[in-house]
Amino acid sequence: MTVIAAPRVRRRVPVALGACLLSFAAFWCAQRAAHVSMIDLMVYRAEGETVRAGGDLYALRTTEAHLPTTYPPFAALLFTPLTLLDTASMRTLATAGNLALLVVFVALSLRLVGHARVERVWWVSAAAVWCEPVWTTLRYGQINLLLAVLVLWDLSQRPGHRWAGVGIGIAAAIKLTPALFAVFLLLTGAVEYMRRGSAGPWLRHARGAAVAFAGATLLAAAVLPYDSWRFWTRMVFEAGRVGLVEDTANQSLRGVLARLLHTTEPGAWWAVTAAVAGAAGLALAVAAELRGARAWAVIACAVTALLVSPVSWSHHWVWCVPMVLLLATANRTAALCTAPAFCSYALWWVPHGPGRLELHQTGTELTLSGLYVGAGFAFLALAGLRLSRTNRTA
């Protein structure tokens, strides 16, 4: 029986690989047919050019949309090699690199949920490239997959690994949102210390992330002292520079509340709901981690970060890939209900664009433009229910 099964397994891998390459090729053609601008990639290159020219990084306005620099200075340092490439080569390499990162992200996600068979990596990658967050990430030339890979790689290391924390720290130095994973590790260690008098590996992991973040940030400060001072004393507090809060693409609590309340600034409503959601989401992640449910803890933390961030563009939700994979292992009905939210592109079916049409959405339009936030809350609710059932069983 084993002799017969082995050739079948060997055949499944090339078939899955072929399907993935075919899907990627179709995706590449579709992106080119759509004349994607990769506008964020052009911003990254402009940041690198500004660094090389010694210009004012946070006075930069580039592309036809006059987009500003929004990331910490360390990110701009990493973007300087882009200036060595012509535009066509840069776009080609960015697309190829993001497709490779998608495969790595899927592999890490499957390992996280306990199903890391090689052929599954290829099949899932072939499908995942068409979901809206991944499509939009490649369309804009974004770095979401790189950040997600850094975080998942870090959290896949064995406890006490000497590189533990480096991935999270570097990701947070590039973009602040991943810093919530370090907070999650810190809280987990603190709770464990109060319960048992030992913080386990979590505090060391959080310390590693803090050291990596500080090292990258100090390196940027040494190279770009003026820009670093401006960012950490002023720009970090100006969330409005990122874009219009009510934009349909803003799939955070703040964006949903702005559209629901028909206002450009939800103010206290957002502050209160974000605080409650953040506390509840982190508590859930910590509880899951302490019960050995690492996958539920990691995805709960990721979803919480996306919900409470002032702006979470739809392409930031690449974490939908491990979310759906995890749901598929626990509750296939939930996975089948969640996947269409990220694959239907439904949030773009509503009025949006110039004229602030999002401020006049009602009924079904508000539901469609808040699908990702709804899916995030549904995941947290399911994770909490699962955790409570585990507690009762125990």
Side-chain angles (χ1 to χ4, degrees), residues 7-63:
R8 290 178 180 174
V9 172
R10 287 195 293 269
R11 285 197 298 269
R12 286 202 296 264
V13 174
V15 170
L17 174 59
C20 182
L21 293 176
L22 183 62
S23 178
F24 282 6
F27 174 87
W28 198 303
C29 293
Q31 288 266 12
R32 294 300 173 267
H35 302 291
V36 294
S37 63
M38 303 191 80
I39 190 170
D40 288 343
L41 182 63
M42 302 307 295
V43 174
Y44 300 157
R45 182 181 185 177
E47 291 180 23
E49 290 173 340
T50 303
V51 169
R52 292 188 64 182
D56 188 338
L57 190 60
Y58 294 99
L60 174 68
R61 293 282 176 167
T62 187
T63 73

Side-chain angles (χ1 to χ4, degrees), residues 228-247:
S228 295
W229 174 259
R230 283 195 71 196
F231 179 82
W232 294 108
T233 60
R234 179 182 171 187
M235 300 304 171
V236 70
F237 304 109
E238 296 184 2
R241 297 180 74 252
V242 179
L244 299 177
V245 64
E246 75 275 8
D247 195 312

Side-chain angles (χ1 to χ4, degrees), residues 129-191:
V129 73
W130 297 98
C131 73
E132 193 274 343
V134 175
W135 167 280
T136 311
T137 288
L138 273 85
R139 172 189 175 189
Y140 293 145
Q142 262 283 344
I143 58 171
N144 306 302
L145 289 169
L146 172 62
L147 299 179
V149 164
L150 283 171
V151 170
L152 267 192
W153 170 83
D154 195 335
L155 293 170
S156 300
Q157 302 304 309
R158 68 179 185 275
H161 191 275
R162 64 177 179 174
W163 294 105
V166 171
I168 292 173
I170 296 298
I174 297 172
K175 188 174 182 179
L176 295 179
T177 309
L180 195 69
F181 287 96
V183 176
F184 150 68
L185 292 168
L186 179 64
L187 290 175
T188 304
V191 171

Side-chain angles (χ1 to χ4, degrees), residues 59-118:
L60 174 68
R61 293 282 176 167
T62 187
T63 73
E64 294 179 358
H66 301 287
L67 297 177
T69 301
T70 58
Y71 295 169
F74 179 68
L77 288 182
L78 298 184
F79 296 148
T80 52
L82 295 177
T83 62
L84 304 177
L85 302 170
D86 61 83
T87 301
S89 299
M90 180 180 66
R91 287 174 171 171
T92 299
L93 288 174
T95 302
N98 263 328
L99 289 174
L101 284 169
L102 174 61
V103 174
V104 176
F105 184 47
V106 168
L108 290 170
S109 299
L110 284 169
R111 182 194 300 177
L112 182 71
V113 303
H115 293 278
R117 288 169 56 178
V118 175

Side-chain angles (χ1 to χ4, degrees), residues 23 122-131 343:
S23 178
W122 299 120
W123 284 117
V124 174
S125 298
V129 73
W130 297 98
C131 73
C343 298

Side-chain angles (χ1 to χ4, degrees), residues 239-257:
R241 297 180 74 252
V242 179
L244 299 177
V245 64
E246 75 275 8
D247 195 312
T248 295
N250 185 10
Q251 292 295 302
S252 70
L253 261 175
R254 187 165 174 249
V256 168
L257 284 172

